[in-house]
Amino acid sequence: MEEERNMERGMTADQLLGALWRRKALVGAIAAVVFLVGAAIVMTRPSMYEASAVVRVEPQRPGEEMVQRTVSEIIEQRLLTVRQELLARPVLQKAIEEMNLYPDIVSEKGMESAVAQMRKDLTVRVEGETAFELTYANRDPQVAAQVANRLPTIFSDETLKIRQAQAARATDLFNEEMVALGKAVSAWEGKISQFKVDHLGELPEQMEMNMRGLERVSHQLQTKSEELRVAEARRSDLARARNAVDSEAGRLEAAENGLTRSLVNARTTWTEDHPEVKRLKTELDSMSARRKDAEGRLWAERVERTRVASLIGNIQQEIQDLQKQAEAYQARLNNTPRWAHELAVMNRDYEIARTKYQSVVSRKVEAEIAQELEAKSAKSLFNVISPAGVSATPARPDRMAGMLIVFLLALGLGVLTGSVLEMRDDSLRDGTEVRQRLTLPVLAVVPEMQGKTERRILMPASGARNSVSNPTTLN
């Protein structure tokens, strides 16, 4: 409790100065020790030299106007992530391996620790919209300048590799897509060709030909029907004439037979010179001639009837064939709309595939040109407008500022130590403290007696009972 009261009591500036003066040896010793330790730390810290290089990103607008690039990222946009990319392991590891940086760390802790240390020593700051500043710190100013000048080149190479890899991937992608679409187009062409072969004669482009064929067959049917009507009429006429000819030929044959019998009878009665015999003979010859003529006409009519019957059969067969042709043409015309729809769907899909194929072929050519442009414009993407120089003075530590900070810290620590010791000290050093801290009447204050000088303090008789007057020292 006493110590808490001692810590809670306040101190005036005079009391603080008095306390520090009483403990000046201790305060001075602590301040000196802290200053010496801090100064040793500041003076023994290694000097770090910084080297800075300013890199400008050159725009690639002319190339984009000439051909559509497959790398969609504008090079200026890389400034948004340039710090992360520069501090990425691939760039830093390549610089460490190439320039043999941090050999001790690499051998003791590995490459990851060396990369982490280089990230601490590297600072990247974007300047404006198209440039960035790269600052590298190292104990050797020559190494700092070399690294600061080399890192932009490594970063440029890595960036170009990434862009060229993207362009190459785009070209390969278009090539693969072109091959796939080419196979699809060929498949559609084969499918359409086979469809046309399977439905030959029923295709939309053959519809007009089928209509003309149907008209031609219809006209031929009309012609054959008329020929059949004429032939049927002729056969009817021949059928009616056959009865008459048959009757005439039979009558003449009967008459001829009668005359023959009469002539035979007459010859048995008379001689050949007899007039009756001659008359019968003449009539028989005439009748025989008439009979033969009638039989010839009967034969001709039979031949004509046979011809007409054959003609009618041929015409009927031709009419049946023409009807079949008409039915075939009509069936083709009836099926044409259905096949036209299916063929239209196939042609539509084929045109879509062919359009995609042509588009991919065009994009592939552009991708190849863009890939060539990426390779040709590689050296002009990044331009070091301010190369790093060798610094003559270290950038850190700032030894003057460090010494000043150490001095202030040592002084403050000494003052703090003296103040804490004073606040923890419960000694009574004058009458004021006695009156403030004691609740009992104080009759006298006896100071510490040192040396041979005798000091006595008397309390005057007129003083208050509970108070102590200013002491009088007697020697």
Side-chain angles (χ1 to χ4, degrees):
M1 294 295 294
E2 186 66 25
E3 290 184 359
E4 291 180 1
R5 288 195 298 268
N6 292 337
M7 294 296 292
E8 291 175 357
R9 60 182 179 144
M11 295 180 63
T12 63
D14 293 338
Q15 291 174 341
L16 178 60
L17 292 176
L20 294 178
W21 179 254
R22 285 191 300 270
R23 294 176 174 84
K24 56 183 177 294
L26 178 61
V27 172
I30 293 175
V33 171
V34 173
F35 179 77
L36 291 175
V37 173
I41 294 174
V42 172
M43 297 304 295
T44 55
R45 286 190 62 191
S47 298
M48 299 296 290
Y49 295 85
E50 292 184 351
S52 300
V54 180
V55 181
R56 180 183 178 184
V57 179
E58 298 295 340
Q60 298 297 308
R61 297 292 185 271
E64 294 179 358
E65 294 174 358
M66 289 186 292
V67 65
Q68 182 68 31
R69 291 184 174 270
T70 54
V71 182
S72 59
E73 181 187 22
I74 302 175
I75 189 63
E76 292 91 320
Q77 292 180 350
R78 299 192 69 86
L79 288 178
L80 302 177
T81 58
V82 65
R83 184 176 182 277
Q84 288 75 12
E85 293 181 2
L86 269 171
L87 297 179
R89 175 163 182 162
V91 177
L92 300 185
Q93 182 174 348
K94 184 175 181 180
I96 292 172
E97 293 175 350
E98 181 179 322
M99 307 184 72
N100 193 25
L101 303 176
Y102 312 104
D104 298 336
I105 298 178
V106 172
S107 61
E108 295 177 2
K109 300 181 181 180
M111 181 58 69
E112 191 65 34
S113 299
V115 171
Q117 181 60 41
M118 191 168 184
R119 287 195 183 104
K120 297 178 182 179
D121 297 336
L122 185 62
T123 303
V124 181
R125 183 172 60 254
V126 177
E127 298 289 345
E129 297 180 354
T130 60
F132 64 90
E133 182 183 30
L134 183 149
T135 302
Y136 179 69
N138 194 275
R139 297 180 182 180
D140 189 343
Q142 297 287 342
V143 173
Q146 292 175 3
V147 173
N149 289 323
R150 178 57 182 159
L151 276 177
T153 304
I154 296 176
F155 172 68
S156 175
D157 294 341
E158 292 296 325
T159 301
L160 295 176
K161 286 181 182 179
I162 294 174
R163 292 179 65 87
Q164 291 176 1
Q166 291 176 351
R169 283 196 299 271
T171 303
D172 294 339
L173 178 62
F174 284 128
N175 189 32
E176 294 175 359
E177 189 68 16
M178 185 187 70
V179 173
L181 288 176
K183 292 181 180 179
V185 170
S186 300
W188 276 114
E189 290 176 349
K191 189 175 182 180
I192 292 174
S193 300
Q194 186 62 41
F195 182 86
K196 290 183 176 180
V197 171
D198 295 339
H199 303 91
L200 187 63
E202 300 177 353
L203 301 176
E205 57 267 23
Q206 296 173 329
M207 184 175 182
E208 184 177 356
M209 180 189 68
N210 291 330
M211 294 180 66
R212 291 180 180 178
L214 182 60
E215 292 177 358
R216 176 177 54 80
V217 171
S218 298
H219 180 70
Q220 290 179 353
L221 279 173
Q222 292 178 358
T223 303
K224 292 299 179 182
S225 297
E226 182 65 22
E227 291 179 358
L228 180 61
R229 186 188 64 77
V230 173
E232 292 286 351
R234 175 64 177 165
R235 184 172 63 177
S236 298
D237 293 342
L238 290 175
R240 287 191 300 269
R242 180 184 62 182
N243 297 328
V245 173
D246 288 344
S247 298
E248 182 182 2
R251 181 178 58 78
L252 291 175
E253 184 178 4
E256 183 182 7
N257 292 331
L259 288 175
T260 301
R261 287 191 298 271
S262 295
L263 180 60
V264 171
N265 292 329
R267 283 178 177 176
T268 58
T269 303
W270 296 290
T271 62
E272 292 292 331
D273 294 335
H274 191 276
E276 184 65 21
V277 173
K278 291 181 178 180
R279 183 186 65 79
L280 291 174
K281 186 177 180 181
T282 302
E283 289 181 358
L284 180 61
D285 292 339
S286 175
M287 188 60 68
S288 178
R290 290 174 60 189
R291 179 186 62 78
K292 290 180 179 180
D293 182 63
E295 289 180 350
R297 285 188 286 107
L298 179 61
W299 175 257
E301 288 179 358
R302 288 178 179 175
V303 172
E304 181 66 15
R305 285 197 302 271
T306 302
R307 187 189 66 82
V308 171
S310 177
L311 178 62
I312 290 174
N314 292 334
I315 292 175
Q316 289 177 345
Q317 184 64 39
E318 290 179 356
I319 289 176
Q320 290 179 359
D321 293 340
L322 290 174
Q323 287 177 348
K324 290 180 180 180
Q325 292 182 16
E327 291 175 357
Y329 280 120
Q330 188 62 47
R332 292 178 182 179
L333 292 174
N334 292 336
N335 291 330
T336 297
R338 184 177 66 177
W339 305 139
H341 175 70
E342 293 187 11
L343 186 60
V345 173
M346 295 173 66
N347 285 327
R348 181 195 62 192
D349 295 338
Y350 167 71
E351 288 297 328
I352 293 174
R354 191 167 67 89
T355 302
K356 288 182 179 179
Y357 176 75
Q358 293 175 349
S359 175
V360 170
V361 170
S362 177
R363 294 295 303 275
K364 177 180 177 292
V365 173
E366 290 186 358
E368 291 175 349
I369 297 175
Q371 186 176 359
E372 294 178 359
L373 288 178
E374 286 292 339
K376 292 180 180 179
S377 62
K379 297 181 180 179
S380 61
L381 290 180
F382 297 94
N383 182 23
V384 180
I385 58 178
S386 178
V390 179
S391 177
T393 58
R396 62 178 187 271
D398 187 352
R399 302 191 189 279
M400 294 298 296
M403 294 297 289
L404 179 60
I405 293 174
V406 168
F407 174 74
L408 295 177
L409 181 61
L411 184 60
L413 188 58
V415 171
L416 178 62
T417 302
S419 301
V420 171
L421 292 177
E422 177 65 20
M423 296 177 69
R424 293 177 63 86
D425 189 359
D426 56 357
S427 301
L428 299 175
R429 295 184 175 85
D430 54 28
T432 302
E433 292 185 3
V434 171
R435 289 190 297 270
Q436 291 177 353
R437 299 175 61 185
L438 296 181
T439 59
L440 299 176
V442 179
L443 301 178
V445 177
V446 180
E448 181 181 359
M449 305 299 292
Q450 295 179 354
K452 297 179 179 181
T453 304
E454 180 181 357
R455 296 179 180 177
R456 290 178 296 172
I457 300 175
L458 300 178
M459 181 178 66
S462 62
R465 180 178 180 88
N466 294 329
S467 62
V468 178
S469 62
N470 293 331
T472 302
T473 302
L474 299 177
N475 294 331

